[in-house]
């Protein structure tokens, strides 16, 4: 059984007899409490989609829910659903657009290393790889010699995500982005 402090984003836990996916975690340390970190977790019920905000002490014990992670690739968008296909047995997994809104900003047909999280046979979330490669669709013109400065400019990527990039990067460049921090990591390998 993991402690609340060991729980990571997109973990599936059992809470009040329901299976919940942890979407967001905020850690806070209230004043005057010796070693008492609090973890505020935003969780979603995998069956109903209902949202629950709950605060746990660092040492609170939680139960992981029974879940499976399957390697998959993004296939297409069908109305309000993103459809992923299992890399091994080609099972289609449909996920509602609103449930993977944040992750969708990093996903296109070329994204490798995606994992679909399945609880009780139902796809509930997507786990992103640590980095993805996307193409810049719009940014200010590149500045010659811009690599010598640490200044950045906003760039809009093919998925709609906006990140800060160095001044020498231009529209059409394929770049690598850290999915956890939403930060530019460098040009993608050709």
């Amino acid at each position: 059984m993991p402690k609340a402090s060991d729980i990571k984003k997109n973990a599936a836990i059992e809470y009040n007899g329901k299976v919940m996916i942890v979407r967001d975690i905020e850690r806070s340390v209230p004043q005057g409490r010796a070693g008492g970190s609090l973890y505020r977790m935003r969780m979603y019920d995998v069956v109903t989609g209902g949202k629950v905000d709950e605060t746990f002490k660092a040492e609170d014990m939680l139960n992981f829910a029974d879940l499976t992670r399957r390697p998959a690739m993004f296939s297409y968008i069908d109305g309000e659903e993103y459809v992923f296909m299992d890399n091994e047995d080609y099972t289609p997994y449909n996920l509602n657009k609103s449930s993977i809104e944040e992750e969708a900003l990093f996903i296109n047909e070329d994204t490798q290393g995606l994992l679909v999280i399945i609880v009780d046979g139902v796809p509930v979330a997507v786990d992103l790889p640590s980095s993805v490669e996307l193409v810049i669709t719009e940014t200010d013109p590149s500045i010659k010699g811009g690599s010598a400065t640490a200044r950045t400019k906003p760039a809009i990527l093919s998925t709609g995500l906006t990140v800060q990039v160095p001044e020498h990067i231009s529209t059409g460049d394929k770049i690598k982005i850290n999915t956890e921090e939403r930060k530019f990591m460098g040009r993608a390998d050709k």
Side-chain angles (χ1 to χ4, degrees):
M1 283 175 56
K3 292 179 181 174
S5 58
D6 299 332
I7 301 292
K8 302 270 185 265
K9 208 168 152 181
N10 280 340
I13 61 170
E14 287 177 9
Y15 179 72
N16 286 348
K18 297 178 181 155
V19 177
M20 309 294 265
I21 289 282
V22 178
R23 286 280 183 221
D24 203 27
I25 302 172
E26 281 179 32
R27 180 176 175 258
S28 62
V29 183
Q31 292 293 324
R33 293 196 47 203
S37 292
L38 296 177
Y39 292 84
R40 182 173 174 76
M41 296 184 192
R42 175 159 288 173
M43 305 178 291
Y44 288 87
D45 187 320
V46 298
V47 180
T48 65
K51 179 174 78 170
V52 176
D53 285 336
E54 190 61 59
T55 302
F56 299 99
K57 293 180 185 134
E59 61 280 354
D60 286 350
M61 299 305 263
L62 300 170
N63 279 337
F64 278 128
D66 189 22
L67 86 159
T68 314
R69 293 174 195 269
R70 297 286 302 171
M73 61 185 285
F74 172 63
S75 202
Y76 60 93
I77 297 174
D78 182 15
E80 286 297 302
E81 300 209 316
Y82 277 68
V83 180
F84 296 84
M85 192 170 297
D86 192 296
N87 287 351
E88 291 160 12
D89 63 12
Y90 305 110
T91 305
Y93 302 117
N94 293 28
L95 284 155
N96 192 301
K97 192 176 183 177
S98 62
S99 71
I100 60 164
E101 217 165 346
E102 292 289 308
E103 292 84 355
L105 291 171
F106 296 97
I107 297 171
N108 65 15
E109 291 83 6
D110 301 328
T111 307
Q112 299 293 314
L114 292 172
L115 295 172
V116 172
I117 299 170
I118 300 160
V119 177
D120 297 332
V122 180
V124 294
V126 174
D127 241 359
L128 294 169
S130 60
S131 68
V132 294
E133 295 181 358
L134 296 170
V135 175
I136 296 174
T137 55
E138 188 183 320
T139 190
D140 294 334
S142 66
I143 297 171
K144 272 208 185 314
S147 60
T149 67
R151 290 196 310 236
T152 61
K153 60 185 179 180
I156 300 171
L157 306 173
S158 55
T159 59
L161 178 69
T162 302
V163 294
Q164 292 292 321
V165 298
E167 290 182 329
H168 65 279
I169 302 291
S170 54
T171 301
D173 285 354
K174 191 175 201 178
I175 61 170
K176 214 173 189 176
I177 294 119
N178 178 317
T179 56
E180 189 69 34
E181 298 174 0
R182 291 178 169 229
K183 286 193 175 145
F184 170 84
M185 292 172 64
R187 278 200 168 104
D189 300 329
K190 296 274 187 248

